Amino acid sequence: MYPSSDYYEEDFLYDLKNDPFELTNLAKDDKYRDIRAQLAKELQEEMKKAGEKVPVIAPSK
């Protein structure tokens, strides 16, 4: 990843409450698809508010 990129791919998602040591990466787990989409949307909205370019945030492959 490069700063100020137009494209990002999800890399990491951890359930810090149930996995505080970040042992299980949930970024590719389909059960968390809606959560990942919501987090991507929130990040894009915050970037827009900050005057940054709004990138594409693609699901993890």
Side-chain angles (χ1 to χ4, degrees):
M1 288 303 143
Y2 297 100
S4 301
S5 178
D6 292 335
Y7 177 86
Y8 292 94
E9 188 174 305
E10 297 172 339
D11 285 330
F12 304 102
L13 176 66
Y14 295 102
D15 180 346
L16 296 178
K17 182 177 181 183
N18 295 310
D19 181 18
F21 299 107
E22 299 178 358
L23 300 175
T24 304
N25 186 357
L26 304 170
K28 295 181 181 184
D29 190 326
D30 282 339
K31 290 186 287 188
Y32 295 90
R33 183 179 337 152
D34 292 340
I35 291 171
R36 293 190 325 260
Q38 181 60 37
L39 290 170
K41 182 180 174 184
E42 289 178 24
L43 177 58
Q44 289 168 322
E45 289 171 0
E46 291 301 318
M47 292 175 79
K48 184 176 180 177
K49 284 185 207 175
E52 297 180 31
K53 226 179 338 183
V54 179
V56 171
I57 302 174
S60 183
K61 294 180 185 177

